[in-house]
């Protein structure tokens, strides 16, 4: 929120009644500091309204010495406006927020504007604290309780620990040490706060006596000598066979249980192995490797598992797919899943600094489908609960396939056809077809299902909470046209929908194209357009895609100039 300069109005002194209200709000929100004197909200306060570079509005609360202590805003990832302590306040009161841990090189990325990803978390020996999605957390480095960032959790910590190899964003960062809000204060350096200070609600990770090579690489030590590799333990083919079977049962009992796996079937053999088995292998012992087993090939191992009755296979276009999983197998009835720890950050070779701005994180666009009222009974029967959420196309396809299997609707005389029951007729057929059709081709039934469902789009913009809107995503229009005779200009509209700063784009275009640029309001609309002199369609589209993370299919190019492209 404060990674770039923000606009602020003049400070004004808060009334005594407003100060008392803030003090009481602080005690109610953070009861662990209620008995501390002085508290985290001193008596004499100043406040000022601010607007961030992406248009977020809020209020900053300053001390009498002009130190920013708190800010109130709608933080990404939170459901409502929050009163958030700054790093200055957290350094004085380290027990205000629960703590999550990460390494110093990851903090540098956070200061640069990135969010904290799940692989960047340091998991203490006793696991992560039990925190809920939307909760404020402080981010620290092992060895000190000095907060280096503040943000909002995007997922429950239990979910992070339940699935090994989990990815995605863990914390949407709102404020960091050395950002522009920190610069508005005394610019104090990071203090040394011992782990015993306060009573932070987080388990403290122990400092390892012998750091792993991956951790040495992550800390980016200046020593140019590479980390020493340790030889992997040798295992026999029989031990690897047992390890493969144990991992398969672990996957079936946890991440691919009956509730989660049904919409994914049939599942490709390579996907099962690379996405689920490798990530859920036991932490101890040798690394999972099919080539070190007696099977040598994944297909042979899966056929052996099929003979044992754990799963069913079928070939789709020459590749084996898992069509069913037998969760009622005797070996799974008394199986106790083991705990799988998140892998440490992988070692990365030191990269040579490159000139120019680094590529921005990509904006992801996901198509989602929502069943209409007529299809709700069908989805409720398969999901086992009211189907009020969204489904991907693959999940919607899996729901229909599961319904056909549950109700035994496959036509025995023509297996490619499906016998229509009242739920399928009510949800998928027109009034004219209702009395005429009794069977329908399965592939056309799938297409009809997705046509009947309402299309939504989920936008995942870096630095913001994911948003869902009906219909297709808005496009960024890049238009090249003639103005005032033979003068050609290129303009871009709709950048604000994706959190792209038009002023920053204009500045980058001025350098990249060596042309004059401007940011002008669009008549009749609450938006602005970025203008650049000349035929710069290709340069503008490339800049939006590489430097601002816009997917190419969201950029709509219209050339009205009739000139050759640059």
């Amino acid at each position: 929120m404060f990674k770039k300069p923000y606009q602020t109005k003049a400070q004004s002194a808060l009334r005594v009644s407003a100060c008392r209200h803030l003090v009481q709000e602080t005690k109610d929100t953070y009861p662990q500091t209620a008995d501390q004197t002085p508290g985290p909200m001193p008596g004499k306060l100043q406040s000022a309204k601010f607007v961030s570079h992406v248009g977020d509005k809020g209020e900053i609360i300053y001390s009498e010495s002009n130190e920013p202590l708190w800010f109130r805003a709608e933080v990404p990832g939170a459901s409502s406006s929050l009163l958030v302590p700054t790093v200055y306040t957290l350094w004085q009161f380290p027990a205000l927020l629960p703590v999550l841990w990460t390494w110093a090189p990851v903090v540098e990325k956070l200061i640069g504007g990135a969010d904290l990803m799940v692989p960047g978390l340091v998991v203490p020996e006793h696991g992560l604290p039990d925190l809920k999605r939307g909760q404020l957390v402080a981010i620290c480095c092992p060895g000190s309780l000095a907060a280096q960032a503040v943000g909002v959790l995007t997922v429950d910590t239990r979910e992070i620990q339940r699935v090994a190899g989990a990815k995605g964003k863990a914390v949407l960062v709102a404020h960091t040490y050395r950002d522009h809000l920190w610069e508005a204060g005394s610019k104090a350096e990071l203090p040394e706060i011992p782990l015993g200070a306060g009573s932070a609600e987080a388990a403290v990770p122990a400092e390892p006596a012998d750091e792993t090579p991956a951790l040495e690489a992550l800390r980016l030590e200046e020593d140019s000598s590479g980390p020493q590799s340790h030889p992997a333990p040798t295992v026999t083919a029989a031990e690897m066979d047992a390890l493969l079977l144990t991992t398969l049962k672990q996957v079936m009992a946890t991440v691919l249980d009956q509730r989660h796996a049904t919409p994914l079937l049939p599942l490709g053999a390579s996907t099962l192995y690379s996405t689920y088995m490798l990530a859920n292998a036991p932490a101890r012992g040798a690394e999972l490797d099919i080539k070190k087993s007696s099977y040598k090939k994944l297909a042979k191992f899966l056929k052996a598992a099929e003979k044992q009755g754990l799963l069913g296979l079928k070939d789709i276009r020459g590749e084996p797919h898992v069509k069913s999983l037998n969760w009622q197998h005797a070996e799974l009835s008394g199986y106790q899943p083991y705990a799988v720890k998140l892998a440490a950050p992988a070692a990365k070779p030191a990269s040579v600094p490159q000139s120019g701005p680094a590529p921005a994180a990509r904006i992801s666009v996901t198509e989602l489908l929502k069943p209409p009222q007529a299809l709700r009974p069908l989805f409720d029967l398969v999901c086992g609960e009211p189907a009020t959420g969204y489904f991907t196309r693959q999940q919607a396809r899996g729901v229909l396939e599961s319904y056909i299997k549950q109700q035994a609707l496959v036509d025995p005389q023509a297996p490619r056809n499906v016998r229509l029951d009242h739920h399928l007729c009510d949800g998928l057929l027109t009034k004219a077809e209702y009395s005429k059709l009794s069977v329908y081709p399965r592939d056309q039934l799938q297409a009809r299902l997705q046509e009947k469902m309402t299309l939504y789009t989920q936008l995942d913009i870096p630095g913001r909470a994911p948003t869902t809107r009906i219909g297709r995503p808005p496009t960024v229009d890049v238009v090249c046209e003639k103005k005032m005779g033979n003068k050609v200009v290129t303009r871009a509209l709709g950048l604000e929908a994706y959190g792209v700063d038009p002023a920053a784009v204009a500045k980058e275009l001025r350098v990249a194209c060596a042309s004059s640029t401007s940011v002008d309001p669009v008549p009749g609309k609450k938006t602005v357009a970025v203008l650049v002199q000349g035929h710069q369609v290709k340069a503008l589209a490339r800049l939006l895609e590489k430097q601002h993370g816009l997917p190419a299919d969201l950029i709509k190019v219209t050339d009205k100039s009739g000139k050759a492209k640059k």
Side-chain angles (χ1 to χ4, degrees):
M1 183 173 287
F2 302 100
K3 66 180 180 180
K4 293 184 179 180
Y6 58 92
Q7 298 177 0
T8 181
K9 293 186 177 180
Q11 296 183 23
S12 60
L14 287 178
R15 294 181 178 179
V16 175
S17 58
C19 292
R20 289 174 181 171
H21 176 75
L22 285 173
V23 171
Q24 187 60 44
E25 182 180 359
T26 307
K27 292 180 179 180
D28 294 341
T29 307
Y30 308 100
Q32 64 272 29
T33 62
D35 299 332
Q36 297 187 20
T37 303
M41 189 72 76
K44 295 182 179 180
L45 299 172
Q46 303 277 332
S47 72
K49 303 291 185 181
F50 78 91
V51 180
S52 71
H53 68 284
V54 294
D56 295 330
K57 298 181 180 180
E59 178 186 18
I60 301 175
I61 299 171
Y62 300 86
S63 68
E64 192 175 10
S65 59
N66 205 34
E67 192 94 300
L69 300 179
W70 302 80
F71 66 92
R72 189 194 301 276
E74 292 186 0
V75 181
S79 58
S80 60
S81 179
L82 295 178
L83 184 63
V84 184
T86 66
V87 292
Y88 293 115
T89 299
L90 289 172
W91 293 345
Q92 297 180 38
F93 303 93
L96 266 180
L97 296 177
V99 175
L100 293 181
W101 306 92
T102 190
W103 301 116
V106 179
V107 172
E108 293 298 324
K109 300 293 184 181
L110 305 185
I111 294 173
D115 292 316
L116 180 59
M117 312 300 286
V118 172
L121 288 172
V122 176
V123 181
E125 183 178 355
H126 300 294
L128 295 171
D130 187 10
L131 304 175
K132 302 298 182 183
R133 177 180 179 179
Q135 191 169 350
L136 274 175
V137 294
I139 300 172
C140 303
C141 290
S144 174
L145 283 176
Q148 303 206 39
V150 184
V152 177
L153 270 174
T154 63
V155 63
D156 295 353
T157 52
R158 286 185 179 181
E159 290 297 318
I160 295 175
Q161 296 183 107
R162 189 180 69 84
V163 181
K167 298 181 180 179
K169 294 182 179 180
V171 179
L172 295 178
V173 176
H175 162 52
T176 67
Y177 163 62
R178 283 165 45 194
D179 67 1
H180 287 274
L181 182 59
W182 170 84
E183 290 182 353
S186 60
K187 300 183 181 180
E189 292 301 322
L190 193 71
E192 289 293 335
I193 302 178
L195 298 179
S199 57
E201 298 177 14
V204 179
E207 286 289 339
D210 183 17
E211 296 177 342
T212 61
L215 194 55
E216 291 175 359
L218 185 62
R219 289 184 175 177
L220 302 177
E221 292 180 327
E222 296 181 358
D223 186 3
S224 59
S225 59
Q228 297 179 355
S229 60
H230 300 279
T234 58
V235 295
T236 63
E239 291 173 338
M240 185 58 68
D241 293 350
L243 187 61
L244 286 167
L245 186 60
T246 300
T247 305
L248 177 61
K249 290 189 288 186
Q250 171 76 9
V251 169
M252 292 175 62
T254 54
V255 292
L256 285 184
D257 58 10
Q258 191 166 4
R259 178 182 177 184
H260 294 89
T262 301
L264 301 176
L265 298 177
L267 184 67
S270 59
T271 303
L272 172 67
Y273 181 74
S274 61
T275 304
Y276 297 99
M277 292 184 65
L278 290 179
N280 288 275
R284 298 179 180 178
E287 183 179 355
L288 200 67
D289 190 348
I290 191 70
K291 294 183 179 179
K292 294 181 180 179
S293 68
S294 62
Y295 305 107
K296 303 299 181 186
K297 293 184 178 180
L298 181 60
K300 290 185 178 181
F301 165 69
L302 294 178
K303 287 181 180 179
E306 185 180 29
K307 288 183 180 179
Q308 295 184 32
L310 286 170
L311 50 81
L313 296 175
K314 72 173 181 179
D315 284 343
I316 300 179
R317 293 185 291 275
E319 181 187 357
H321 282 63
V322 177
K323 67 176 182 180
S324 62
L325 295 169
N326 184 10
W327 294 283
Q328 285 73 38
H329 195 277
E331 294 188 15
L332 286 175
S333 59
Y335 178 77
Q336 294 295 329
Y338 49 80
V340 179
K341 293 185 178 181
L342 293 174
K348 297 183 179 180
S351 58
V352 179
Q354 297 180 358
S355 59
R362 298 285 294 175
I363 296 172
S364 66
V365 180
T366 306
E367 284 190 350
L368 300 174
L369 300 174
K370 190 171 185 178
Q373 193 65 34
L375 284 170
R376 291 281 175 83
L378 187 152
F379 278 76
D380 293 348
L381 285 173
V382 175
C383 299
E385 56 187 13
T388 57
Y390 305 98
F391 297 82
T392 63
R393 293 190 180 275
Q394 184 180 9
Q395 290 171 341
R397 182 181 181 87
V399 168
L400 182 56
E401 290 294 333
S402 298
Y403 181 78
I404 293 171
K405 292 177 183 178
Q406 290 177 7
Q407 305 299 323
L409 298 178
V410 177
D411 190 349
Q413 299 180 354
R416 293 188 177 182
N417 291 340
V418 175
R419 291 183 285 112
L420 301 176
D421 64 357
H422 64 287
H423 285 314
L424 293 176
C425 291
D426 292 344
L428 301 178
L429 298 187
T430 63
K431 291 183 179 180
E433 295 172 333
Y434 202 101
S435 59
K436 296 180 181 179
L437 298 176
S438 60
V439 296
Y440 208 78
R442 183 184 299 213
D443 55 346
Q444 296 182 28
L445 200 65
Q446 288 283 4
R448 180 72 69 91
L449 173 74
Q450 301 198 8
E451 289 175 2
K452 292 287 185 179
M453 297 180 73
T454 306
L455 176 65
Y456 284 78
T457 301
Q458 178 177 297
L459 297 179
D460 191 359
I461 302 174
R464 293 187 178 186
T467 58
T468 304
R469 55 179 293 164
I470 192 170
R472 300 192 176 277
T475 58
V476 173
D477 294 320
V478 176
V479 182
C480 184
E481 56 189 355
K482 287 184 178 180
K483 280 191 174 183
M484 300 174 60
N486 291 327
K487 185 178 180 181
V488 177
V489 296
T490 305
R491 57 189 173 93
L493 301 92
L495 299 175
E496 298 90 341
Y498 296 99
V500 179
D501 185 4
V505 173
K507 183 177 179 181
E508 293 165 354
L509 278 174
R510 191 180 307 123
V511 176
C513 303
S515 300
S516 61
T517 60
S518 63
V519 178
D520 299 334
V522 179
K525 295 183 179 180
K526 295 181 179 180
T527 184
V528 296
V530 177
L531 276 75
V532 56
Q533 298 294 331
H535 194 296
Q536 308 292 353
V537 170
K538 195 171 182 180
L540 179 53
R542 183 170 58 248
L543 184 142
L544 293 176
E545 183 178 355
K546 293 187 177 181
Q547 300 302 329
H548 295 276
L550 275 170
D553 54 356
L554 295 181
I555 303 173
K556 181 181 178 182
V557 176
T558 305
D559 191 353
K560 301 178 181 179
S561 66
K563 292 192 175 184
K565 297 181 181 180
K566 289 186 179 181

